[in-house]
Amino acid sequence: MRKTIVCLLALVLLLTSFTMVASAAQPDRTYTYEEDTPVPSTNAYQVMTIIDEALMGTTRLKDARDIFVDNSDRVFIMDSGNCRVVVLDENYKCIKELKEFKYGEEILTLKEGAQGVFFRESNQRLYIADTENNRVIVCDLDGNVSKVYEKPVDELLDPSVAFKPKKIIVDNMGIMYVTSGNINTGALLIDSAGSFLGFYGTNKLKETAAMKVERMWRNIMKQAVSAETFQPVEFNNIFWYEDRFVYTVS
């Protein structure tokens, strides 16, 4: 009996020691969120570097909304709260801040809430989704603007809906894929001349069990079920990868 107790105690100590070692090796914890309540989950990643103002050598970021890394490992950050684009080198040191953009004789500035940034390698141009100014700005890395795109005019685009560009990518032919707030029919395809080419990747509406129940109750209550009752969701993000595929998040 004593041997059994000793063996059990040894096993408990061994497991406890293993758990402590494992905990020491994995100090970080990741979470999923249920109604804004964090729930611990299996580690999805391991933190390697925290990039803050001390490392960057610039002022603190405020409400960063987007990030892009080019083939030279330069990092472009849309620092929305500070109305600027921050450019970092491969060591995360700030090499440039773009807050003013020269467009002919005019100086353009971003409005707080700008949400997207994309750098196109082939023409070395920066594409900025200046959301609250209802436009896309295209400039070089010195802030010299070559083009400003506002909402294209087309019969497929409701003139009463504001153009709120949020995320943007540009393909090899210079065609922009722009996600816009309040537009749930896909990304807007806009060519380099500013012409609207159509929508890309419209989310199809799949009726769920909850939607069927709601439709049934509306029929029982004699309430009209309009086409606007159930709508596809709009894109949250979009990305163009080197495999030539476009990836979206809804």
Side-chain angles (χ1 to χ4, degrees), residues 1-14:
M1 182 66 178
R2 181 174 295 178
K3 284 186 176 181
T4 303
I5 294 174
V6 171
C7 288
L8 287 173
L9 287 173
L11 181 60
V12 168
L13 288 172
L14 179 62

Side-chain angles (χ1 to χ4, degrees), residues 134-163:
N134 314 106
R135 64 191 179 188
V136 172
I137 295 174
V138 183
C139 66
D140 62 18
L141 292 181
D142 292 320
N144 298 306
V145 177
S146 55
K147 191 75 174 178
V148 174
Y149 294 94
E150 296 181 338
K151 183 179 179 179
V153 177
D154 191 273
E155 60 184 10
L156 293 177
L157 298 174
D158 186 344
S160 66
V161 176
F163 183 48

Side-chain angles (χ1 to χ4, degrees), residues 32-102:
T32 57
Y33 285 82
E34 296 179 4
E35 297 181 353
D36 295 329
T37 302
V39 179
S41 66
T42 303
N43 281 356
Y45 56 85
Q46 192 72 25
V47 175
M48 295 176 63
T49 305
I50 295 177
I51 304 171
D52 58 11
E53 64 271 23
L55 178 56
M56 293 186 296
T58 184
T59 53
R60 181 188 294 268
L61 299 175
K62 180 182 177 184
D63 192 23
R65 292 291 188 94
D66 203 8
I67 186 169
F68 183 89
V69 183
D70 71 4
N71 292 335
S72 301
D73 288 334
R74 287 180 299 190
V75 182
F76 301 81
I77 301 173
M78 172 54 71
D79 187 12
S80 179
N82 289 316
C83 305
R84 64 177 177 172
V85 175
V86 179
V87 186
L88 311 178
D89 64 16
E90 67 276 12
N91 297 312
Y92 311 120
K93 300 295 184 182
C94 180
I95 55 177
K96 195 175 291 288
E97 295 181 26
L98 297 174
K99 298 189 73 171
E100 294 185 343
F101 305 86
K102 188 175 181 181

Side-chain angles (χ1 to χ4, degrees), residues 102-122:
K102 188 175 181 181
Y103 189 34
E105 299 299 320
E106 187 179 1
I107 299 297
L108 305 180
T109 57
L110 305 179
K111 187 176 286 188
E112 186 173 346
Q115 296 191 36
V117 61
F118 181 89
F119 183 70
R120 188 181 177 205
E121 302 277 353
S122 60

